[in-house]
Amino acid sequence: MTAERRITRYGSAEPRAGRGRRSAPRSRAPRCAGVLLAAVGLLLSGCASMPDGGKVDHVDSSHRTDSDSQVRVFSVSPQKGETPQQIVRGFLEATTSDEAAFGTARQYLTDEARDRWDPFARTTVLSEGPSAEPQGHRSNGRDSYGGDDGPYTVRVSGPRMAIVDRDKAYAPRGGTFQRAFDLVKVGGEWRIDRLPDGLVLGESDFQRIYRPINTYYYARLAPDVVEGGQDVLVADPVYLRRRIDPVTQTVTALLKGPSDWLRPVVTSAFPRGSALAPRQRLSLDDSGALTVRLNEAGAGAERGRCVRMAAQTLHTVQNQASAKVSKVALEGPDGEDLCSQTREQAEEYEPGRLNGRAEHQYFIDKKHRVSALAGSSERAKPVTGPLGSGETEMGGIAVNRVEEMGAAVSRGRGELYVSSLEDAGPLPKPLVTSGAKREEDRLSVPSWDGLGDLWVADRDPDGQRLLRSRGGEEKPQEVRVPGLGKDRRIESLKVSSDGVRIALRIREPDGDASLRLGRVERYGSNADSRARIADLRPLAPQLEDVVAASWAGGSTLVVVGRQSGSVQQLQYLETDGSVSNQPALPGINDVTGVAASEDQSKPLLADSEDGIVRLPPDANWKRVTDGGSAPAYPG
């Protein structure tokens, strides 16, 4: 058994005092840490990845796999005679270890700073490892270590890419991170006396230490809007430390409730104030069962609510557990039984239950008809309804989640037609007509949510609007979207199956397209249901121009775009804007569209210069047809 190691090269930096590991003044040897392979009980010598300085050059930037959970990284205590700069660098290295409470890192702090410092307040993620540069003595400004034992300042800085808040929610955040670390001498040795709360990590260390986990909460949907509407689970991703009591961390994160961004459209079955009873370390037993003891607040729920709590816990823990979770049992603080749910019972609350079965893949064939492929078949047939007759040429298609109705925009993008996929007959009158003069300013390809509602954008410069039609039958209502105007408009859209999130590709003033996630807030009565889009957040800030995007899971999208100065690429992104830990996608040339299903067992589809291609799991792209465009899954 082997453990993959990331190799990192650093630029030269001044030598450390007291290490005895440098053969020349300009050599570079990182502070070493012990690496434990728990699976074989073998102790190796490894290296933490915090640089002494200089540019970071990643030789291997691949994501770490779950096999890395067998590798434990420990840090080194401060050594005698170290300079302020070395103390700060040693502290930063120590925070990349796998110690639960950062015991070694705290050795670099004064007693007062140890009591004040809160490492869990936030995590700042930098695109490169943080640099630590001496700023000199605060008392007289001298940039010298010798002759003056007064307080000393070291500046820690780096290019910031994201913040993970106290609730473990990730949010892209550009700019420059820069903070002062103040040091004083204690017993003749430098120690950090003042520092910001939280951690500062380079992206590679962040990916090694943390893992994205989906916590699940129930969508705020009235039962009369959709059958079982109160039981639809929505993924809310958080980042947890990989090797520090992962099951306990996961349940604790779930009990804290949803992230601030998602909270307005979801709810938790757990009563307010629910928490774990004291002194618990949760893990699955040999049969895959999990027992969770709750405090008094959590134990007060009536049985029907308790069952939903157990299902919520099972699906959340299953998201991070390597083994199948067979059962979740909830207990009161004294060990009394409250309720339980087996894996089979919890299927009633399965995430993505509104996604549908996605039995077919759809596209516009060379005769501009709506055609369908069944499963892995390579033989496409026009649908038997009027959208497949060829009477009116079509340019893009969306199919509802139960695969009964289709919504297609005409070839010139001027009209939106909604019709049965199977029942023959004349094509109905257009549901929406755009008045724009140019094709590129007319209608987007529509999208269906799992509630049966149809969404489409009219890109007319004289009256751009986002429209929603209930059931794809009622007169479309305009949906308010903040921040749009003449210089910013919706180019395309994809609604999640749960109906509470929408991915919008927006044309920016500079001409490039960005990808943003909006919260779908529904209000009004069932007879007069309304919706609005709130709190747009960036989904792919690292991409200069997004060409296409599609939902590929409960919290995952597949996105086509390019980074600055780079070629086009396909990659998976999480709904918080972080890069997914799913395997990298093989390259393909000149992609103009992509289609995925929230059922991740379904192959990807792409519209490329080679025609429509398909990517089955564990395979490479294969051409389906060289004549056709606009591939789509239901949704």
Side-chain angles (χ1 to χ4, degrees):
M1 182 179 297
T2 60
E4 181 185 352
R5 296 285 306 281
R6 186 196 57 231
I7 303 171
T8 312
R9 288 200 300 266
Y10 303 109
S12 60
E14 67 170 16
R16 282 186 187 280
R19 284 290 182 269
R21 295 175 184 164
R22 302 186 188 276
S23 59
R26 300 295 290 177
S27 67
R28 165 69 177 97
R31 179 184 296 252
C32 291
V35 181
L36 176 65
L37 273 75
V40 296
L42 177 63
L43 185 65
L44 304 176
S45 63
C47 295
S49 56
M50 173 63 206
D52 273 357
K55 182 180 179 181
V56 179
D57 179 13
H58 296 289
V59 177
D60 180 5
S61 61
S62 61
H63 288 297
R64 293 177 176 261
T65 64
D66 287 342
S67 63
D68 288 320
S69 62
Q70 299 166 353
V71 179
R72 302 297 298 273
V73 178
F74 297 95
S75 51
V76 174
S77 301
Q79 307 296 299
K80 289 185 178 181
E82 289 194 303
T83 66
Q85 186 181 19
Q86 290 171 329
I87 288 293
V88 172
R89 288 172 174 165
F91 168 79
L92 293 171
E93 289 178 6
T95 62
T96 70
S97 77
D98 292 320
E99 295 176 296
F102 302 100
T104 303
R106 294 179 188 275
Q107 296 177 23
Y108 289 83
L109 311 180
T110 63
D111 290 344
E112 294 80 5
R114 284 177 205 160
D115 293 337
R116 293 192 306 264
W117 180 55
D118 179 5
F120 305 106
R122 72 187 64 84
T123 299
T124 301
V125 185
L126 309 181
S127 59
E128 300 176 357
S131 66
E133 301 298 333
Q135 298 298 291
H137 293 282
R138 296 201 311 274
S139 56
N140 57 16
R142 291 170 55 196
D143 191 10
S144 170
Y145 298 140
D148 190 340
D149 291 340
Y152 198 91
T153 298
V154 174
R155 183 185 64 188
V156 174
S157 62
R160 185 178 59 204
M161 60 183 298
I163 297 287
V164 179
D165 65 21
R166 182 180 290 278
D167 294 328
K168 317 302 182 187
Y170 180 104
R173 189 78 54 82
T176 300
F177 173 86
Q178 185 171 293
R179 294 291 187 276
F181 283 57
D182 294 337
L183 298 91
V184 297
K185 277 198 170 180
V186 177
E189 299 293 336
W190 289 106
R191 293 293 182 265
I192 300 169
D193 186 48
R194 291 186 179 277
L195 73 165
D197 284 332
L199 305 177
V200 185
L201 301 174
E203 180 185 14
S204 57
D205 276 320
F206 177 73
Q207 291 174 352
R208 172 178 60 82
I209 297 168
Y210 288 85
R211 177 185 179 186
I213 297 296
N214 282 339
T215 52
Y216 286 98
Y217 302 95
Y218 294 102
R220 293 183 185 272
L221 301 175
D224 54 358
V225 172
V226 59
E227 184 179 354
Q230 73 276 19
D231 300 328
V232 178
L233 285 171
V234 180
D236 192 12
V238 296
Y239 270 86
L240 303 178
R241 296 172 75 186
R242 288 179 184 268
R243 292 174 285 274
I244 309 299
D245 200 3
V247 178
T248 307
Q249 278 197 89
T250 299
V251 176
T252 300
L254 172 67
L255 294 175
K256 284 184 177 179
S259 62
D260 291 341
W261 187 87
L262 195 62
R263 185 173 290 114
V265 291
V266 297
T267 184
S268 177
F270 288 91
R272 184 183 297 274
S274 295
L276 292 176
R279 296 179 298 279
Q280 284 191 85
R281 184 181 176 91
L282 303 179
S283 62
L284 304 181
D285 66 18
D286 292 341
S287 68
L290 174 67
T291 299
V292 179
R293 279 188 294 112
L294 299 172
N295 64 359
E296 292 287 354
E302 51 87 19
R303 181 168 179 79
R305 183 172 185 176
C306 182
V307 165
R308 299 177 73 239
M309 291 159 52
Q312 197 176 342
T313 305
L314 189 147
H315 287 297
T316 296
V317 173
Q318 184 61 81
N319 180 249
Q320 71 86 32
S322 57
K324 285 287 186 183
V325 181
S326 63
K327 177 183 177 181
V328 166
L330 300 184
E331 296 180 346
D334 297 324
E336 65 272 24
D337 291 337
L338 299 177
C339 68
S340 65
Q341 278 277 282
T342 65
R343 184 170 70 246
E344 291 74 21
Q345 290 170 330
E347 288 178 356
E348 180 181 348
Y349 305 92
E350 188 78 27
R353 59 191 294 268
L354 300 183
N355 183 48
R357 295 185 299 272
E359 293 181 344
H360 295 82
Q361 302 143 34
Y362 301 86
F363 68 100
I364 305 300
D365 67 17
K366 63 178 65 177
K367 295 183 179 180
H368 305 287
R369 302 170 300 184
V370 175
S371 291
L373 289 161
S376 60
S377 170
E378 297 180 9
R379 300 190 56 158
K381 295 181 179 180
V383 299
T384 55
L387 297 177
S389 68
E391 179 183 341
T392 299
E393 294 185 338
M394 300 300 173
I397 177 65
V399 173
N400 70 355
R401 306 279 176 161
V402 294
E403 300 188 60
E404 293 177 347
M405 303 290 292
V409 289
S410 61
R411 186 179 180 187
R413 302 297 179 95
E415 297 83 31
L416 172 65
Y417 296 95
V418 180
S419 171
S420 168
L421 292 175
E422 298 180 356
D423 297 339
L427 189 67
K429 292 182 179 180
L431 182 69
V432 179
T433 300
S434 175
K437 297 179 180 179
R438 301 188 307 168
E439 179 178 336
E440 58 267 30
D441 293 333
R442 295 172 187 157
L443 301 176
S444 72
V445 175
S447 178
W448 297 82
D449 61 33
L451 311 180
D453 292 347
L454 179 65
W455 300 71
V456 67
D458 185 356
R459 302 170 294 183
D460 187 345
D462 294 330
Q464 63 164 308
R465 52 193 179 147
L466 175 64
L467 300 172
R468 163 182 166 256
S469 169
R470 297 183 67 191
E473 299 173 342
E474 296 185 6
K475 180 180 178 181
Q477 302 170 344
E478 186 167 349
V479 178
R480 184 172 60 85
V481 183
L484 297 184
K486 288 188 176 181
D487 295 332
R488 298 179 79 240
R489 75 176 188 187
I490 299 171
E491 290 292 321
S492 60
L493 59 98
K494 280 289 184 180
V495 193
S496 63
S497 64
D498 51 61
V500 301
R501 297 164 298 168
I502 183 170
L504 299 173
R505 191 169 68 93
I506 294 178
R507 182 67 58 187
E508 301 291 348
D510 62 4
D512 285 342
S514 66
L515 186 64
R516 296 180 181 269
L517 187 71
R519 194 171 58 236
V520 181
E521 298 181 350
R522 299 169 190 267
Y523 59 99
S525 65
N526 184 46
D528 186 27
S529 172
R530 302 265 174 183
R532 57 176 170 251
I533 308 301
D535 204 1
L536 292 180
R537 62 191 295 181
L539 272 182
Q542 72 276 28
L543 298 180
E544 271 194 353
D545 193 19
V546 175
V547 174
S550 180
W551 287 92
S555 67
T556 307
L557 295 99
V558 61
V559 181
V560 183
R562 61 178 177 83
Q563 294 182 341
S564 178
S566 180
V567 297
Q568 188 185 79
Q569 56 186 286
L570 280 79
Q571 63 181 140
Y572 289 109
L573 295 177
E574 297 297 314
T575 51
D576 56 14
S578 63
V579 176
S580 173
N581 62 353
Q582 295 194 44
L585 291 166
I588 185 174
N589 296 327
D590 294 332
V591 175
T592 57
V594 66
S597 171
E598 290 182 39
D599 179 352
Q600 296 179 336
S601 68
K602 305 295 183 182
L604 284 180
L605 301 172
D607 197 349
S608 75
E609 67 174 9
D610 298 320
I612 295 177
V613 292
R614 181 161 53 195
L615 181 66
D618 303 320
N620 212 327
W621 293 102
K622 184 177 181 180
R623 187 167 65 183
V624 176
T625 173
D626 57 3
S629 63
Y633 274 100

